Amino acid sequence: MSTSKKNSKTPRLWLVKSEPEAFSWQHLWDAPSRRTHWDGIRNYQVRNFIRDDIKKGDLLLYYHSNAKPPGVVGYAEVVREAYPDHTQFDPKDGHYDSKSDPADPRWLMFDLKAKKKLRQFVPLQDLKDNSKLKDMLVVQRGQRLSIQPVTLAEWREVLKMGGLEAATR
DNA sequence: GCCAACGTTGGC
DNA sequence: GCCAACGTTGGC
């Protein structure tokens, strides 16, 4: 799945899911420097994205899952690449992993910064109704990855639906 | 609250 | 290495 050897200078495009009750777009926007650690990832496929593919300068659609309705709120930028997720070593943390070796941490996180809120919220239903987005991962049935790659065409279409210019940077 | 889809775990 | 059981995700 890794493509890190090529295109290392090209910002890649992603969608990140967040439950607004856990960490909403507004919460991120109000954070110091509009920045946070993206911790708590405990899925190997997503871990590999973080380890191999998510680079500084990459852009991420910010998606509210388990929301009423779910949908895309804004976009953010990667400001720090993969480093160990400290919550895996904290027995009091809900994401504690007793099997992770501190000398070789199993789980990684990265930092992101909110860039721009969409002028209009784009609900999942609108993504589903748009034939140009029929291959987008987030509209696929049973697609549970909390970080998903997004193509340039999809990125542009979603931003357009959100009332923003389709500039990627 | 329901439940389909999917990932992980662990017995064998 | 198979696969049943279990836990989680997340739309509805």
Side-chain angles (χ1 to χ4, degrees):
Chain A
M1 192 59 93
S2 169
T3 53
S4 58
K5 296 272 159 56
K6 44 189 172 179
N7 300 329
S8 58
K9 301 249 173 69
T10 313
R12 262 168 301 231
L13 305 169
W14 308 91
L15 177 146
V16 290
K17 294 180 189 171
S18 180
E19 301 197 19
E21 291 201 10
F23 203 89
S24 68
W25 170 264
Q26 190 61 47
H27 195 155
L28 176 61
W29 194 261
D30 292 341
S33 306
R34 296 178 181 164
R35 205 179 145 140
T36 194
H37 318 292
W38 208 252
D39 62 20
I41 295 293
R42 297 294 182 269
N43 170 287
Y44 287 103
Q45 206 175 338
V46 176
R47 190 278 311 270
N48 293 348
F49 281 149
I50 296 172
R51 185 188 61 195
D52 301 332
D53 297 315
I54 294 180
K55 299 299 174 193
K56 198 171 171 181
D58 285 5
L59 299 174
L60 317 99
L61 294 172
Y62 202 97
Y63 176 89
H64 278 167
S65 61
N66 255 325
K68 295 174 194 169
V72 179
V73 190
Y75 69 90
E77 178 175 0
V78 176
V79 290
R80 183 178 173 187
E81 294 175 14
Y83 61 107
D85 178 346
H86 55 83
T87 64
Q88 70 197 300
F89 303 121
D90 179 1
K92 292 190 285 293
D93 193 282
H95 296 291
Y96 177 60
D97 182 351
S98 61
K99 294 177 187 162
S100 185
D101 175 4
D104 184 20
R106 180 180 292 185
W107 304 111
L108 303 170
M109 61 183 184
F110 63 99
D111 293 357
L112 59 77
K113 176 176 181 156
K115 292 293 281 185
K116 212 160 198 178
K117 187 177 183 178
L118 298 185
R119 294 184 66 201
Q120 299 112 226
F121 173 75
V122 179
L124 175 61
Q125 190 58 55
D126 287 7
L127 300 177
K128 288 183 168 176
D129 289 344
N130 187 332
S131 61
K132 291 179 187 168
L133 301 178
K134 64 177 166 41
D135 295 326
M136 195 172 179
L137 287 174
V138 75
V139 308
Q140 308 304 318
R141 182 180 180 79
Q143 178 52 70
R144 302 190 309 168
L145 289 181
S146 61
I147 303 182
Q148 310 176 346
V150 170
T151 69
L152 180 56
E154 290 162 353
W155 178 273
R156 289 188 165 150
E157 187 64 17
V158 173
L159 258 59
K160 191 172 139 194
M161 294 168 79
L164 293 184
E165 293 299 317
T168 51
R169 295 240 58 190

